[in-house]
Amino acid sequence: MSKSLVVYFPGQTFFHKLDPRTKIIFMVLVSTVIFAVQDLYLSAFILAVMVILWMVARLPVAIVYGFLKALLPVFAFLFIVQALLYPGVTPIIKPLIPSFIPWIGGMGQINLEGILFAVLLMFRLLAMVILLPLVSMTTPVHILALGMVRMGLPYRLAYTITAALNMVPILQSEIGVIVDAQKLRAMSTFEKGSIWSKVKSYPVLVTPLVIGAMRRAQSMAVAMDSRAFGAMKTRTYIEDINLRPVDWIFMIASTIGTVGILILATKI
Amino acid sequence: MTDMAIQLKQVSYRYARTKRFVIDNLDFSVKRGEFLAVMGENGAGKSTLCQIIIGIIPNSLGGRLKGNVIVEGLDTKEATISELATKVGIVLDDPETQLFTTSVQAEVAFGPENLNMPVDEIRERIKWVLDVVKLTGYEARMPTALSGGQKQRLAIAAALAMRPSILVLDEATSQVDPLGVVEVLSVVKELNQKYGMTIVMTTDQSEEVAKLADRIIVLDRGKLVAEGTPREIFSDTALFSRLMIRAPQVSQLGMKLQQLGHPFPTFPVSLEEGYKGIVELVDTKPSPEDSVKEDKPVETTTPQNGTVISVKDLNYVYQPQEVKAVKNVSFDIHKGEFVAIIGQNGSGKTTVLKNLLGLLKPTTGNVVVAGMDINSTAVAELAQHVGFVLQNPDQQLFAETVEDEIAFGPRNLLLDEATIKQRVEESLQLVGLENQRQEFPPALSKGERAKVVIASALALNPEVIVLDEPTTGQDYKGCHQIMQIARKLHEDGRTIVFVTHHMALVAEYARRVIVMCDGEILVDDTTEGVFAKPELVRQAHIIPPQITELCQMLPLNIGLPRTPLSVSQVVDSIMARL
């Protein structure tokens, strides 16, 4: 039983009920904003909005903690690098290397600016990381595919994108089993090994993963063909999607929000 | 139009890059409404035959197909995917590869939607097929949240939604638990008998085949080697001495007695016929010595040589869903035992096993393995005392040769090369793979892959071997080879714990059985003791082996053992009574 991060999490919330197109547009807008905005307060605001939506959609908060935990080493690394190397003028800790030494003198000084920049990066990264599950966990994949089709994507392409989403939890649980199998063969790197030995052990993961995926792909092809996947130029959908007033309001609100933040960002 | 649903005319097939024909000159027909069972060892070409019948070969998979395949009047070479998809549906073994959507309703609709069918008609079809497979009311459920039997019934529903007249089932019951097998087969039976659907089914479940199939064909290396009614096939002594395929236990009994010169009046393929045969053959007058010795305890389990695994009040809760998978489970496993853990999927068997090795840590309770508390011991350390072989061999093969695969564990322990070499050698011999040492493990047969994984666990020199469903997906031959290895290891003094859904194997090999139901232990007794309580075991939806069931039906005064564990045991008792 794996904790799946992108699998549909059933619910009846306002966010669940939004049209997939609304959510796709929302995703595009938010990603743009996250990429474009370099300001600490604005990024904090974006992250806050994401977290609020996460709670509105009643998605398990444990998952956000999970992301935080998984990203912690990355954050720690960014934090150290940024804090040490970011040029700043407000020192918090005195330089580790005295400044009279040429070239490297003054390095290792931790500046307030460096710390703030690291925090900014974390906010942006976290916002980015919750964005995809916020959409994929509130939308059944076939509805997401239908949304893409209605937006003009060919069905085969839309299906492929959503099938990739579907594969994530399967691969996740498969990796879990393979790691278990390696532990059982006295491989201890996953329990207490250094980061480097963990990195080195990944190729061993790849062989069974790839072979498993190939076997699965073959049976999947049989199952899909026998159900006439892609046999006709057009297909029907038993479920329909409609843009309701709430969708338009949400889209307009997110567009105004996006533009607003972008204008603010250029002024600061 | 003929009354033939499927016609194969001199059909041969080989894959694109191989020389050998995996299907070799098959020439047979299936009548409309017929139930055809296809049997044979792994690698005989059963799955390939299924893919040929549904037209995936040659349309999507390529390779070279000779001869003609006519399905409902259509030559599969000329037909389009959508034409074929509405004539013949397929159900595969693994639910994960054939269910792609996020709700039961969407799953069933997937095929008809692809055919561009009007929405109203699709809705009607959904209603109908869910009624047929008895999943009405599950429309909004997620397929991943269904039980094994329900998933396979959903796969049948998804195939039925295309309104095919032929349904092909390729080992569709091989990965589900005993309850799931019953569920799936009762649906298939209804489709065949009530709706007149043509069924082609590859399976090992010969007891069920005997009840359901009109005809059986047996394949061996792509060739058709036998064909006939279940009675004709299962009484073919020569065939069964040549091929490792499974006959129903009553037929095995009939065959053995026939060889000993005491044939049943009618050759038995069903429980009822076995019952009648025995009653006619064996004098039912009570014989004092025999009826006294019934239920003699064979041996009060194995010598209790000290505890190797001790589980006390184990509880395990999966987060974040808060699923209580194991509730207050306690048991001890002693040195030299041969224990089977049985129960439906989801009854907590695998969760218990994972707690023995520290792959999961108990939510509450204690597990002590070889004197070590698993909470404070690394998995790598535990694995040197308890060798745990996971279910699917393919997820446990990492190396480029069999030798390297087996050496993987010892190398992680940083043993010296001489010791590693010796361990590899010993392990290879124990499983009998000396001649495959240089092969690429994933390229071996299914049975051999399972052996490599067992050998790899043995290389860490553990005193206990734990096998999680070692026989799932294996054919009869593979099952017995794997269990023979386990028996040899047991005779060498190792302790064996295994999980399986094959009750005949439990009866034949295990000395003690732990039955799990809803996360709790229902019964923990000797193998005989467990099968002697059929009502209790049925609570866990477990059906005793056919031979045991047969003897439990017989009148008490017939003087045969009440809970025999193997066919030969019954043969011996009958011979003693004649």
Side-chain angles (χ1 to χ4, degrees):
Chain A
M1 256 173 251
S2 70
K3 313 162 244 176
S4 295
L5 303 178
V6 294
V7 156
Y8 178 55
F9 190 88
Q12 291 296 322
T13 68
F14 139 81
F15 201 77
H16 277 84
K17 287 181 184 159
L18 284 179
D19 189 281
R21 285 165 288 187
T22 311
K23 292 186 223 180
I24 292 169
I25 289 170
F26 171 74
M27 209 158 83
V28 173
L29 290 174
V30 176
S31 340
T32 320
V33 165
I34 294 174
F35 272 115
V37 171
Q38 302 277 351
D39 177 72
L40 183 67
Y41 298 108
L42 287 177
S43 293
F45 174 73
I46 298 164
L47 178 60
V49 171
M50 304 298 295
V51 173
I52 289 168
L53 281 173
W54 188 275
M55 311 243 256
V56 166
R58 301 244 173 99
L59 295 172
V61 183
I63 290 177
V64 179
Y65 286 133
F67 280 132
L68 251 178
K69 230 178 103 185
L71 287 174
L72 222 50
V74 181
F75 287 159
F77 179 73
L78 277 179
F79 192 82
I80 294 165
V81 171
Q82 294 299 342
L84 287 175
L85 298 181
Y86 194 84
V89 288
T90 328
I92 295 177
I93 295 171
K94 288 252 159 1
L96 296 172
I97 304 162
S99 53
F100 55 80
I101 298 173
W103 298 109
I104 55 163
M107 267 172 111
Q109 168 178 303
I110 295 178
N111 296 306
L112 182 63
E113 289 79 2
I115 291 176
L116 290 181
F117 188 72
V119 172
L120 167 69
L121 271 181
M122 281 181 225
F123 283 170
R124 293 169 69 195
L125 211 61
L126 201 58
M128 201 69 223
V129 161
I130 22 187
L131 180 58
L132 176 70
L134 180 62
V135 172
S136 64
M137 289 182 75
T138 54
T139 325
V141 279
H142 62 280
I143 298 291
L144 203 57
L146 178 55
M148 292 183 205
V149 170
R150 290 283 154 80
M151 289 173 91
L153 239 58
Y155 176 69
R156 272 172 176 270
L157 183 59
Y159 184 85
T160 312
I161 295 171
T162 53
L165 273 179
N166 248 348
M167 286 301 281
V168 174
I170 296 177
L171 288 179
Q172 250 185 340
S173 77
E174 193 131 322
I175 289 174
V177 177
I178 296 169
V179 168
D180 274 356
Q182 296 181 344
K183 283 186 193 168
L184 290 169
R185 304 266 288 281
M187 190 153 157
S188 46
T189 43
F190 289 101
E191 281 177 288
K192 53 186 179 191
S194 66
I195 289 186
W196 175 237
S197 62
K198 275 184 190 171
V199 170
K200 273 199 304 188
S201 64
Y202 277 107
V204 193
L205 262 176
V206 171
T207 316
L209 208 56
V210 168
I211 287 172
M214 275 160 60
R215 284 219 168 94
R216 186 172 312 106
Q218 219 170 24
S219 332
M220 264 178 94
V222 172
M224 288 173 66
D225 259 11
S226 77
R227 282 156 74 188
F229 175 74
M232 305 266 182
K233 280 211 183 68
T234 55
R235 86 196 284 280
T236 44
Y237 300 87
I238 53 160
E239 276 164 284
D240 209 5
I241 49 172
N242 288 305
L243 289 168
R244 295 170 304 148
V246 64
D247 286 298
W248 291 110
I249 295 169
F250 191 81
M251 266 193 273
I252 292 166
S254 2
T255 315
I256 293 174
T258 306
V259 174
I261 291 174
L262 288 177
I263 291 172
L264 273 177
T266 47
K267 288 209 170 142
I268 294 170
Chain B
M1 231 178 158
T2 64
D3 58 348
M4 290 300 169
I6 304 164
Q7 287 169 282
L8 270 75
K9 294 176 183 163
Q10 281 145 28
V11 173
S12 295
Y13 176 73
R14 63 176 161 83
Y15 288 100
R17 279 178 300 277
T18 54
K19 283 228 168 71
R20 194 174 78 85
F21 279 92
V22 278
I23 290 294
D24 196 349
N25 204 18
L26 285 188
D27 199 291
F28 69 90
S29 307
V30 185
K31 279 203 223 75
R32 205 158 282 146
E34 193 177 358
F35 193 129
L36 179 80
V38 182
M39 300 187 77
E41 296 175 1
N42 278 350
K46 292 172 292 177
S47 293
T48 312
L49 175 62
C50 291
Q51 290 168 9
I52 287 173
I53 291 172
I54 66 168
I56 298 283
I57 290 175
N59 291 327
S60 299
L61 288 184
R64 178 153 160 65
L65 183 77
K66 292 201 285 190
N68 293 88
V69 182
I70 316 288
V71 172
E72 294 289 357
L74 276 178
D75 190 318
T76 58
K77 273 184 196 162
E78 284 140 30
T80 63
I81 294 177
S82 54
E83 277 176 321
L84 283 165
T86 52
K87 304 276 183 221
V88 47
I90 190 165
V91 180
L92 305 169
D93 54 353
D94 182 3
E96 227 161 56
T97 59
Q98 50 189 335
L99 303 177
F100 342 97
T101 65
T102 39
S103 77
V104 167
Q105 172 173 286
E107 196 62 56
V108 177
F110 184 79
E113 284 176 334
N114 285 331
L115 292 177
N116 209 13
M117 214 164 263
V119 172
D120 291 338
E121 194 182 338
I122 300 178
R123 291 203 176 277
E124 260 169 51
R125 286 193 181 190
I126 293 173
K127 218 168 149 246
W128 178 71
V129 298
L130 290 184
D131 182 48
V132 171
V133 303
K134 298 179 184 63
L135 282 176
T136 307
Y138 285 75
E139 287 81 354
R141 291 274 205 104
M142 295 219 270
T144 44
L146 300 176
S147 75
Q150 288 170 337
K151 281 181 191 163
Q152 288 303 73
R153 271 147 63 204
L154 176 57
I156 294 178
L160 287 183
M162 308 291 279
R163 285 274 164 101
S165 53
I166 305 166
L167 188 63
V168 177
L169 298 114
D170 189 8
E171 303 287 351
T173 56
S174 70
Q175 296 197 8
V176 290
D177 52 22
L179 179 63
V181 174
V182 174
E183 290 174 6
V184 171
L185 290 178
S186 77
V187 169
V188 175
K189 181 183 170 184
E190 190 176 303
L191 287 174
N192 178 241
Q193 294 176 358
K194 190 166 152 196
Y195 297 97
M197 202 162 200
T198 311
I199 307 282
V200 176
M201 183 165 91
T202 71
T203 182
D204 254 4
Q205 313 269 343
S206 50
E207 273 96 3
E208 302 301 327
V209 164
K211 276 189 244 170
L212 300 172
D214 299 308
R215 193 157 55 108
I216 300 174
I217 61 171
V218 181
L219 299 185
D220 183 26
R221 271 163 285 178
K223 286 194 173 68
L224 195 150
V225 290
E227 177 180 7
T229 63
R231 199 182 310 280
E232 284 162 359
I233 294 291
F234 293 136
S235 61
D236 187 343
T237 327
L239 176 73
F240 283 87
S241 62
R242 210 168 61 238
L243 285 182
M244 278 286 271
I245 50 174
R246 216 174 105 69
Q249 284 188 319
V250 288
S251 303
Q252 293 176 26
L253 178 70
M255 226 184 269
K256 281 190 181 161
L257 286 171
Q258 198 172 347
Q259 282 164 346
L260 292 165
H262 296 280
F264 279 17
T266 6
F267 186 86
V269 294
S270 70
L271 257 185
E272 294 69 32
E273 289 165 354
Y275 176 86
K276 262 194 233 152
I278 291 186
V279 173
E280 276 175 50
L281 201 66
V282 182
D283 190 7
T284 48
K285 256 180 268 156
S287 100
E289 337 126 54
D290 276 343
S291 48
V292 170
K293 85 168 184 202
E294 77 134 314
D295 268 336
K296 40 136 200 180
V298 184
E299 50 184 301
T300 348
T301 49
T302 28
Q304 314 246 315
N305 279 334
T307 314
V308 280
I309 294 175
S310 174
V311 178
K312 196 144 176 41
D313 301 323
L314 174 68
N315 281 281
Y316 191 84
V317 182
Y318 280 101
Q319 298 293 355
Q321 306 96 323
E322 306 232 335
V323 182
K324 282 187 190 155
V326 174
K327 302 170 206 157
N328 294 318
V329 162
S330 299
F331 61 87
D332 285 342
I333 289 178
H334 308 280
K335 196 169 185 316
E337 283 197 296
F338 202 132
V339 186
I341 303 180
I342 60 176
Q344 298 303 307
N345 289 345
S347 62
K349 299 171 310 250
T350 302
T351 309
V352 168
L353 295 188
K354 284 190 172 171
N355 272 286
L356 300 183
L357 267 298
L359 292 178
L360 296 174
K361 303 278 183 190
T363 309
T364 61
N366 285 312
V367 179
V368 177
V369 168
M372 298 174 292
D373 187 326
I374 64 140
N375 273 320
S376 49
T377 317
V379 178
E381 175 67 31
L382 292 167
Q384 294 172 60
H385 299 275
V386 181
F388 186 10
V389 179
L390 298 171
Q391 214 180 92
N392 183 354
D394 301 336
Q395 293 166 331
Q396 306 170 66
L397 298 171
F398 323 114
E400 278 170 33
T401 68
V402 171
E403 267 182 333
D404 281 344
E405 193 65 59
I406 299 173
F408 185 87
R411 284 206 179 115
N412 284 331
L413 294 179
L414 306 172
L415 300 175
D416 60 277
E417 273 305 311
T419 319
I420 293 176
K421 216 166 171 243
Q422 187 203 338
R423 293 248 183 124
V424 169
E425 217 45 51
E426 283 169 7
S427 307
L428 276 172
Q429 270 174 22
L430 278 168
V431 302
L433 283 178
E434 297 97 319
N435 297 326
Q436 276 92 345
R437 62 178 76 221
Q438 289 304 328
E439 309 260 343
F440 179 49
L444 294 171
S445 78
K446 217 170 193 172
E448 287 168 333
R449 293 200 297 260
K451 289 184 200 171
V452 174
V453 180
I454 295 174
S456 305
L458 285 173
L460 295 175
N461 206 14
E463 59 251 37
V464 186
I465 300 283
V466 177
L467 303 155
D468 191 6
E469 294 196 33
T471 54
T472 294
Q474 296 287 349
D475 61 354
Y476 186 55
K477 189 175 171 181
C479 284
H480 275 275
Q481 287 179 345
I482 290 166
M483 291 316 295
Q484 286 296 343
I485 292 172
R487 179 173 278 172
K488 195 160 74 182
L489 296 171
H490 181 246
E491 282 162 4
D492 289 349
R494 287 190 176 85
T495 310
I496 310 284
V497 179
F498 72 112
V499 165
T500 186
H501 291 315
H502 288 99
M503 289 311 127
L505 295 178
V506 172
E508 212 175 322
Y509 292 92
R511 305 272 179 85
R512 171 180 165 196
V513 179
I514 297 175
V515 185
M516 292 202 63
C517 186
D518 296 329
E520 291 172 292
I521 292 182
L522 187 67
V523 200
D524 179 355
D525 202 348
T526 60
T527 310
E528 277 205 325
V530 165
F531 288 129
K533 306 176 192 98
E535 293 76 29
L536 188 58
V537 179
R538 278 209 171 84
Q539 277 181 33
H541 302 286
I542 281 162
I543 302 157
Q546 195 183 31
I547 196 75
T548 318
E549 261 193 302
L550 174 64
C551 286
Q552 281 163 353
M553 282 165 64
L554 290 168
L556 272 167
N557 63 3
I558 203 157
L560 294 180
R562 296 302 290 166
T563 15
L565 298 179
S566 67
V567 175
S568 51
Q569 198 185 337
V570 179
V571 173
D572 293 345
S573 313
I574 291 179
M575 291 308 287
R577 299 278 290 124
L578 291 175

